[in-house]
Amino acid sequence: METGKSRSVTNPNRKINATKQSNGSELKKRKRSQFEFCEVCKLNHDQGQRHKYFPSHTKSLSTFLSRFQNKLSDIRFFLTNPSLLRPEHASLNRFWCVFCERDIDELGSSFACTNTINHLASIDHLKNLKYFLWKYGGGMNSVHNFTISEQDISKWQKKCKSLKSEAVSSTTASRGPLVGPSNDIHNELNYGNVNSFANNNIDYVNLRNSNGVMPLQYHTNEYQVSHSELSEVANVGLFPEDVSSSLPIETNYGTNSKNLNSFIAKRNCQHSQRLADGYLNNYGISQVYQNERMVKGESSSQGSQSLTPIFPMVPDGAGGNVHSGAPPPWFEAIDDSQQDVQLKPVLGSLVSSSIKQGKSKKLNPKRVGAAWAEKRKMEMEMEKRGELVKTGVNANWLPNFGRVWQSGSRKDSRKEFELENQKVSKVENQPVDAVPLKIQPYISKRMQRDASG
Amino acid sequence: MSYVLRTLTKKQEVDSVIRDTIDKVLVLRFGRASDTVCLLLDDFLAKSVREVSKFASVKLVDIDSEDIQVYVKYFDITLIPSTIFFFNAHHMKMDSGTADHTKWVGAFQQKQDFIDVVEAVFRGAMKGKLIVNCPLPPERIPKYQLLYKDV
């Protein structure tokens, strides 16, 4: 048995113990082994090696593996389309490898999912994977599904290198023709935007409509198809705060080979950023419609391939955008579902909808404070809608609190406290120093009251 | 001073936080930013706030503020840092083998301890219990003396 891992499981002496036990009681047919924990079913069982053949286990295993496959498919996308990873987003990316049972951070990696890709190609991971499959019975021929082959990784590394060299060798020459469409506020941003839009408008439109979660299925524009493999540093270029980052966009333009797939990047971390980008997209799209020809002309003069004019598939673009002051599409989505959705108002944070899939939407009616919660939710809805003017909460409101030295119900404690307060304030205004020192002798209020009363 | 967690200094803020946190555990740490144990606790809180964010929210309350003295008295806070748990504006007690069940006194030894405690509170609250048992072994629970009537 491998000893290199810190699993809480099992030892090979199980069978020996089991047989000893069964010798003792001949009537016992079933061999009982020591309890082990099955990672897949998340339960403790004493079925030993037989467990992995049980139907319940095979079911759980297939869901388990398919879930992990989904995450891996994202990673594989980045394997074929490496893109630069900005340091501020690096900290948001973590990948949990179920076979090795460890998190893989992306700190200090220059390309998206570098560490993850390297991990998936490593020998240790392969070992762990094989052990896992042996233990939980996934089928040894599925090893290739969960690792990255050497060929793939070498291809990826080459792509990364070429990407880096392009980014480094980018010149400002390509900025020239872009001066044209610059009636905008976000100057550098739009250089990048316009380029990419000219190249690949439709993806934005698609993205706006979809949640932008899955890698985009490109429309069959042969130009796009042939170049869909090449990377997009455009992702980087769309962040307005960094001028230098828009340079790679220029190189895209110059080399005319990149599609803009930025929004499919990093679904797990850059959602909010992407939404912001989506917002900017609206802005950029309208620019493109006006300036398309100009850009097209320039691009062909650059020797790039011919660009196809793209018109928006969805009339939505005309319905409202940033210029007209329309709300962004994700707000509309939230409004609709607000009724069904449980509000979680935390001070200073966005109201986010939390739809628990697979669990019942109704919270346990017997939970603590359920009545209060329902009442309060109604109040907040009304406040939001502006019907109920927020009356200042009574300054003397106190929460329901069971006191430390208490001899009655909680309501009593509150009343007691208020009474004590009145008495204390009547007699003397003793400022109670909360804790000048860390430890202070505890003076019960009763004692104070008795002393004073 | 924790830059990740919000520190409340007014009773009205504390009130609104308690009232507005619906169906999530509200963790209120009463303490002082300059105290070492408080800092240790704050560090754990800041690190784990994101991980518990789906079922808990964490706020810090500064006990040196004038407004808050009412709460200091009401909650019988005598040792800092003291952490009090609320769920839907109801106070949750936790029996950790110490004298005071109404609050958690002291820091935690590991970040995971804090998460476990909050999870226990949440689970109990969702079942309708107002007092829960502490999931930590006694050696990891900070001990302290509560004095009653100068005894």
Side-chain angles (χ1 to χ4, degrees):
Chain A
M1 293 284 271
E2 281 91 327
T3 50
K5 22 185 73 239
S6 56
R7 290 190 194 257
S8 56
V9 225
T10 195
N11 61 64
N13 297 328
R14 261 180 293 108
K15 289 242 168 85
I16 302 172
N17 288 343
T19 44
K20 278 189 190 157
Q21 285 173 10
S22 60
N23 278 343
S25 60
E26 291 139 4
L27 292 176
K28 224 201 280 185
K29 285 187 185 170
R30 188 160 82 93
K31 282 193 187 149
R32 287 180 188 272
S33 23
Q34 292 179 6
F35 272 92
E36 342 170 357
F37 182 71
C38 171
E39 282 286 344
V40 170
C41 312
K42 298 270 192 274
L43 70 96
N44 290 304
H45 63 88
D46 59 354
Q47 296 148 354
Q49 290 284 42
R50 297 179 298 135
H51 173 75
K52 66 181 176 226
Y53 302 111
F54 284 125
S56 59
H57 175 87
T58 45
K59 251 194 264 171
S60 331
L61 182 69
S62 59
T63 43
F64 183 86
L65 290 179
S66 55
R67 271 207 317 263
F68 191 64
Q69 279 279 47
N70 286 342
K71 297 190 185 149
L72 276 185
S73 59
D74 287 347
I75 306 288
R76 286 195 199 281
F77 172 77
F78 280 105
L79 187 65
T80 47
N81 308 297
S83 65
L84 282 180
L85 182 69
R86 309 247 309 175
E88 51 257 31
H89 301 121
S91 52
L92 300 174
N93 293 357
R94 272 185 317 179
F95 184 79
W96 170 262
C97 175
V98 292
F99 306 117
C100 313
E101 286 191 339
R102 51 176 276 236
D103 263 336
I104 302 164
D105 286 325
E106 300 291 339
L107 310 169
S109 62
S110 47
F111 290 98
C113 301
T114 323
N115 291 350
T116 314
I117 289 176
N118 286 332
H119 169 81
L120 290 172
S122 68
I123 306 176
D124 281 336
H125 173 75
L126 184 62
K127 258 200 246 162
N128 292 336
L129 172 64
K130 286 193 178 160
Y131 174 77
F132 184 92
L133 291 176
W134 168 81
K135 197 161 189 324
Y136 299 113
M140 284 309 196
N141 47 4
S142 55
V143 165
H144 68 275
N145 285 342
F146 300 105
T147 51
I148 294 182
S149 65
E150 294 210 0
Q151 295 168 338
D152 287 341
I153 199 174
S154 51
K155 271 193 230 163
W156 176 77
Q157 280 169 346
K158 281 189 206 145
K159 283 187 197 159
C160 287
K161 271 193 211 150
S162 60
L163 204 61
K164 241 189 203 166
S165 53
E166 278 163 11
V168 166
S169 68
S170 70
T171 62
T172 52
S174 48
R175 281 218 195 206
L178 303 179
V179 178
S182 64
N183 294 337
D184 344 332
I185 312 167
H186 311 286
N187 281 330
E188 297 98 12
L189 185 61
N190 266 73
Y191 289 160
N193 269 350
V194 166
N195 287 335
S196 354
F197 280 118
N199 278 342
N200 195 353
N201 225 349
I202 213 147
D203 283 346
Y204 285 105
V205 177
N206 268 347
L207 180 77
R208 267 195 311 136
N209 297 329
S210 72
N211 251 343
V213 174
M214 291 302 297
L216 285 178
Q217 312 303 319
Y218 308 134
H219 281 264
T220 50
N221 179 347
E222 53 192 355
Y223 169 70
Q224 293 174 359
V225 168
S226 60
H227 295 272
S228 63
E229 296 252 312
L230 295 172
S231 72
E232 43 312 313
V233 262
N235 187 20
V236 172
L238 284 173
F239 302 132
E241 60 268 24
D242 194 345
V243 175
S244 60
S245 63
S246 64
L247 283 179
I249 299 287
E250 268 75 70
T251 54
N252 286 354
Y253 185 67
T255 58
N256 75 59
S257 55
K258 320 279 193 239
N259 276 339
L260 196 68
N261 299 324
S262 54
F263 297 96
I264 31 199
K266 289 283 176 280
R267 71 157 114 172
N268 55 349
C269 75
Q270 291 178 355
H271 191 59
S272 57
Q273 190 69 25
R274 218 177 328 112
L275 291 180
D277 293 344
Y279 206 79
L280 295 167
N281 282 345
N282 296 345
Y283 194 81
I285 284 180
S286 53
Q287 277 295 330
V288 172
Y289 302 155
Q290 298 162 19
N291 299 314
E292 201 177 288
R293 274 203 204 127
M294 184 180 348
V295 176
K296 229 180 88 177
E298 284 158 0
S299 68
S300 45
S301 73
Q302 281 267 314
S304 60
Q305 302 186 8
S306 61
L307 304 172
T308 47
I310 308 245
F311 298 100
M313 299 269 286
V314 182
D316 212 11
N321 60 24
V322 149
H323 298 290
S324 64
W330 55 89
F331 280 149
E332 284 150 24
I334 287 180
D335 281 339
D336 288 337
S337 58
Q338 235 181 15
Q339 304 303 323
D340 307 332
V341 154
Q342 178 187 345
L343 281 178
K344 282 195 173 126
V346 180
L347 285 178
S349 64
L350 290 173
V351 173
S352 60
S353 58
S354 71
I355 299 175
K356 296 178 188 136
Q357 296 174 2
K359 296 190 190 166
S360 74
K361 281 186 187 172
K362 264 190 80 172
L363 293 172
N364 181 1
K366 286 194 278 184
R367 68 186 188 277
V368 169
W372 162 272
E374 301 304 320
K375 204 177 76 161
R376 189 82 187 104
K377 269 194 235 175
M378 302 297 295
E379 269 176 32
M380 294 186 76
E381 292 242 357
M382 298 212 283
E383 275 168 23
K384 265 199 185 306
R385 282 185 253 145
E387 287 170 14
L388 196 68
V389 175
K390 187 174 177 185
T391 55
V393 177
N394 181 8
N396 294 333
W397 179 82
L398 289 169
N400 167 315
F401 186 79
R403 304 187 72 189
V404 183
W405 313 100
Q406 185 195 336
S407 57
S409 78
R410 289 193 178 191
K411 283 192 196 152
D412 290 346
S413 69
R414 201 190 293 191
K415 288 186 193 156
E416 225 182 69
F417 179 71
E418 281 166 2
L419 281 175
E420 283 167 8
N421 254 359
Q422 286 174 11
K423 290 214 172 159
V424 168
S425 63
K426 268 187 212 164
V427 178
E428 199 174 20
N429 222 3
Q430 278 182 3
V432 175
D433 291 79
V435 257
L437 307 168
K438 188 164 169 248
I439 295 183
Q440 190 188 358
Y442 178 77
I443 302 173
S444 146
K445 303 300 175 291
R446 268 203 199 123
M447 209 180 88
Q448 273 182 356
R449 191 181 54 189
D450 290 341
S452 56
Chain B
M1 173 74 175
S2 172
Y3 295 107
V4 178
L5 300 171
R6 214 176 129 198
T7 306
L8 309 173
T9 48
K10 295 201 171 22
K11 176 177 191 294
Q12 186 257 333
E13 288 174 348
V14 177
D15 283 351
S16 54
V17 152
I18 295 178
R19 291 163 64 90
D20 292 344
T21 306
I22 310 273
D23 292 331
K24 269 168 107 172
V25 176
L26 174 65
V27 180
L28 284 185
R29 178 231 71 182
F30 284 81
R32 198 179 271 145
S34 46
D35 176 60
T36 43
V37 186
C38 277
L39 280 176
L40 181 60
L41 176 63
D42 289 354
D43 186 45
F44 284 140
L45 294 179
K47 284 179 179 168
S48 37
V49 67
R50 188 177 176 187
E51 267 140 29
V52 300
S53 58
K54 287 207 180 248
F55 60 95
S57 72
V58 182
K59 297 280 183 281
L60 311 180
V61 182
D62 182 13
I63 49 152
D64 290 327
S65 132
E66 284 302 312
D67 250 3
I68 303 291
Q69 298 310 309
V70 174
Y71 276 134
V72 169
K73 278 193 274 183
Y74 184 50
F75 295 147
D76 283 339
I77 295 174
T78 48
L79 301 169
I80 55 165
S82 282
T83 311
I84 305 189
F85 302 98
F86 288 91
F87 188 82
N88 281 342
H90 287 263
H91 165 238
M92 298 293 300
K93 296 197 193 186
M94 167 172 276
D95 177 7
S96 37
T98 57
D100 187 351
H101 297 173
T102 62
K103 57 179 82 73
W104 176 274
V105 176
F108 293 91
Q109 286 189 10
Q110 299 167 19
K111 188 175 98 172
Q112 188 57 41
D113 287 354
F114 168 69
I115 299 176
D116 289 343
V117 163
V118 176
E119 184 193 345
V121 172
F122 182 71
R123 283 188 189 272
M126 287 308 250
K127 287 202 184 137
K129 302 185 174 214
L130 283 172
I131 182 163
V132 298
N133 283 322
C134 180
L136 304 181
E139 54 267 12
R140 290 219 279 255
I141 300 177
K143 298 278 178 287
Y144 52 90
Q145 290 272 33
L146 260 197
L147 300 179
Y148 179 70
K149 292 195 178 180
D150 281 342
V151 168

